[in-house]
Amino acid sequence: DPSSYPLEYDVGEKIYMEIDASSTVNNTEMFVESCRASPYDNPNYYPTYSIIENGCPVDPTVMTHAPDNRQQFRFCIQAFKFIGLHDHWYLS
């Protein structure tokens, strides 16, 4: 629900996320190639922090979870904070 954003977490707290496909294609499954965080609502601005690259977790706190179906990807990560004056981060 967009009205619930921004969400607030303490550093180190687990954040659970799920990606759902908006449509289905027979004999396919969800594959997340990359996921990164940025302190700006634009993934092309730096700094960015890689969470998943080439389909593999690169953050040591990433844990994947079994989906309900092949059109979902579920994972969690520990909340963190960018160094500096950044109180928020955005996921892309």
Side-chain angles (χ1 to χ4, degrees):
D1 180 13
S3 67
S4 65
Y5 291 95
L7 302 175
E8 293 187 19
Y9 294 90
D10 292 325
V11 171
E13 188 176 355
K14 285 189 179 182
I15 303 171
Y16 292 88
M17 294 172 259
E18 177 179 288
I19 300 168
D20 284 300
S22 58
S23 62
T24 60
V25 176
N26 290 338
N27 299 318
T28 62
E29 68 181 75
M30 175 70 70
F31 177 78
V32 174
E33 183 176 343
S34 66
C35 178
R36 63 183 172 184
S38 170
Y40 305 104
D41 193 14
N42 183 332
N44 297 317
Y45 284 4
Y46 288 91
T48 60
Y49 177 72
S50 290
I51 296 168
I52 298 172
E53 287 182 2
N54 299 315
C56 299
V58 292
D59 179 282
T61 69
V62 171
M63 294 177 57
T64 58
H65 301 278
D68 287 339
N69 59 61
R70 296 171 60 144
Q71 285 78 39
Q72 291 179 332
F73 181 76
R74 292 178 171 170
F75 69 105
C76 70
I77 185 174
Q78 284 184 356
F80 63 92
K81 183 175 173 154
F82 277 92
I83 295 172
L85 300 175
H86 308 289
D87 290 331
H88 299 92
W89 51 265
Y90 301 84
L91 200 61
S92 62

